[in-house]
Amino acid sequence: KSSRIESTFSFGTFYTSGQLKWRTDLSSRPPLYVEPIVTLTRWDYFSGFATFFDEVKPPYIVHKEIWGGTNVGMALGTKGLLRFDAKYAQSKDDYYQNGDFDASDTSDVSEFKYGTTGLTLERNSLNRKQQPNSGELLRFSMRYIGGNENTLPGSQWPDRKPYLAGHQWVVLKATLDKYFLPKG
């Protein structure tokens, strides 16, 4: 078996993120891999778009995400892949509905905590990862997402009644990328 650890970090006023990934390839028959992943991201629309030429106050929106999960993949011959993944995530938005707010106001907060699981079947015979000119890619994927939303209005709303809702849906995708004529 072989293992690889990857970490990626991005820092800035608009976007900050970090990801830690550990992939283990097992020398089994058929070949398998297991890949746990943890990702944290933050978008700050308020301080990220304030420039010297802005005459209006930018919107206050801060979006944060954290998710973790595992991918498990199995080779299907030399060109095929069957991948299963399961993840748990939390998405949180802090925002104001209008531009008239001061330091004593509290922002509206929307939070969505959810679990997702997916299955992907893929056959790829493209000759290159970027700008291929021969071969085909056929991919089918199915994903289930289910979670709970919680929204708490900020201090600018007279009726600060929280909103609670459960959401669930299924996403089905099919992709065919085929090159018929071998031209550049």
Side-chain angles (χ1 to χ4, degrees), residues 76-144:
L76 300 175
T78 58
K79 298 179 189 315
L81 174 68
L82 178 64
R83 182 177 62 231
F84 171 79
D85 68 84
K87 295 177 179 65
Y88 178 77
Q90 179 178 343
S91 175
K92 183 178 178 183
D93 294 308
D94 296 303
Y95 55 93
Y96 290 100
Q97 297 284 344
N98 58 40
D100 297 329
F101 59 89
D102 55 31
S104 64
D105 287 330
T106 60
S107 63
D108 298 358
V109 178
S110 292
E111 200 169 27
F112 184 47
K113 296 178 182 178
Y114 62 97
T116 179
T117 185
L119 185 66
T120 302
L121 178 62
E122 179 178 301
R123 184 180 187 288
N124 188 349
S125 64
L126 297 175
N127 63 344
R128 288 189 285 273
K129 287 184 179 183
Q130 289 187 330
Q131 301 174 351
N133 61 2
S134 70
E136 75 176 17
L137 167 68
L138 179 61
R139 181 184 298 138
F140 296 102
S141 66
M142 178 176 63
R143 173 161 305 281
Y144 167 78

Side-chain angles (χ1 to χ4, degrees), residues 1-2 23-35 71-76 81-84:
K1 72 178 184 179
S2 67
R23 178 172 167 149
T24 301
D25 293 296
L26 305 172
S27 59
S28 59
R29 198 98 168 113
L32 291 170
Y33 75 87
V34 178
E35 184 179 50
N71 299 326
V72 177
M74 177 177 73
L76 300 175
L81 174 68
L82 178 64
R83 182 177 62 231
F84 171 79

